[in-house]
Structure formats: C-alpha cells, structure tokens
Amino acid sequence: MLRRAHPRLLLPVLAIVLIGAVAGCSLFDREPRGTPATQAPAPAGAGAQLEIPTTVAAGEVSLLQRLGADGPLRTLSVERDGAWQCVDCAGDGVTSRGTLAPELTERLQVLLADPALANETDQARRYRTTCIDALTSSLLTSTGLITSQDCPGEERTPVAGEILLLLTQATPAEVKG
C-alpha cells in the first residue's frame, strides 16, 4: 500500500526531479567545452520566458533561489569573466546585469576550482530539504548541484557557502517574501 507523501516535502522533491530531468536531457545536446552555459526556457508567467540554466562550464556558476514554496524564482548566472545576469532579483520581474570586481572574479574562480566543492554536491552529501517556507538556494557548478536552506540546524558547506555569500553580496540581489 502506498503512503501519502508529506506535502511540505513535495515541492522541493519536484524541483530536484525537474532540475535532474532537464539536466539529464541536456546530456544529449551538449556543446563543445568552452562554450557558454546551455540554457532551457521555462515559463515565468504572463507570457514571459525565463532562462533556467541546466549545465554550466568550468569557471561558471548559476544560483537559483526561492523563498518558500510560492516565492518568485531568482536566477543569477555568472560567467568566467565575472559578467553576471540576474533575472527577477528582487521578485519584481526586472533583469539586472553587471560585472564582478576583478578581485571578486578571481576569488570566485579560486572557489569554483576548489576540489572540496565536489564533496559538497547534493549527490555527495545525499542532501534533502527539510524546512518549510525557508529560503532555498541552489548553486549549479560544473561539479554539480549544491543546495542549502536558511533554517536552524542546517550545516553550512564551507566552499559553496562562501560562493553563495560572495554572489549575494556582490550583486543587487534581494529576495523579498
């Protein structure tokens, strides 16, 4: 007999399955190394299209954030040269662009190249979301997906935590609930 899943776990599980499915499909449509990140369009409401990254090249990173189950999805993509684009940064539908300062770009590249990052992926940690209505942040790196939530008792990943802090402090991102 099947047991009914806990509703609070359904959305994070569905999000992970969706990201996994989209990433799996992208395995068959890969561009040669050194090309920009592959992106798949996804609906953003009112007929708009939101570019959600499914893979990134070495030295690139994408951040997906959502506050609770119904909050807007914030998407930040950073290229190897520090150029960034943030879609719906403040939940207002606005797309912002800029470039990280050279010292931040260099620091980001050092963090993304850190071998310890591979041990912080969701797969390596067997990560599962546990909080309701928390800010969920997912970093998409060339080593894999790294998810964290702002909730009591959650262990912080050292390298990915530093990347997350760098990205949120260096861009005009502000998630509003």
Side-chain angles (χ1 to χ4, degrees):
M1 176 180 247
L2 294 175
R3 292 179 50 191
R4 184 178 165 139
H6 293 286
R8 66 183 182 150
L9 296 177
L10 188 58
L11 184 62
V13 169
L14 288 175
I16 290 170
V17 168
L18 176 63
I19 290 172
V22 173
C25 291
S26 70
L27 292 175
F28 300 106
D29 189 25
R30 290 203 177 226
E31 296 179 18
R33 283 186 178 240
T35 58
T38 302
Q39 297 190 339
Q49 293 253 333
L50 172 65
E51 297 292 321
I52 298 177
T54 56
T55 61
V56 295
E60 297 178 351
V61 63
S62 289
L63 168 63
L64 304 160
Q65 285 186 312
R66 179 170 292 206
L67 181 60
D70 299 327
L73 179 65
R74 172 182 177 257
T75 305
L76 172 70
S77 297
V78 183
E79 303 287 326
R80 180 179 266 294
D81 65 359
W84 58 264
Q85 176 177 316
C86 188
V87 178
D88 206 15
C89 285
D92 55 6
V94 174
T95 297
S96 302
R97 289 178 177 81
T99 304
L100 297 176
E103 63 276 4
L104 293 177
T105 301
E106 183 178 330
R107 178 68 183 140
L108 179 60
Q109 291 307 311
V110 167
L111 291 168
L112 289 171
D114 190 325
L117 197 59
N119 296 324
E120 297 181 9
T121 65
D122 291 355
Q123 184 176 5
R125 296 182 297 145
R126 293 187 171 100
Y127 183 79
R128 294 175 186 220
T129 57
T130 57
C131 295
I132 300 172
D133 291 331
L135 176 63
T136 302
S137 302
S138 296
L139 289 170
L140 183 60
T141 69
S142 62
T143 60
L145 184 68
I146 304 165
T147 304
S148 63
Q149 287 188 299
D150 286 344
C151 57
E154 171 122 359
E155 274 189 48
R156 299 288 176 208
T157 52
V159 180
E162 235 182 290
I163 292 171
L164 180 61
L165 186 61
L166 185 152
L167 296 177
T168 56
Q169 289 182 345
T171 60
E174 180 181 340
V175 178
K176 298 177 181 174

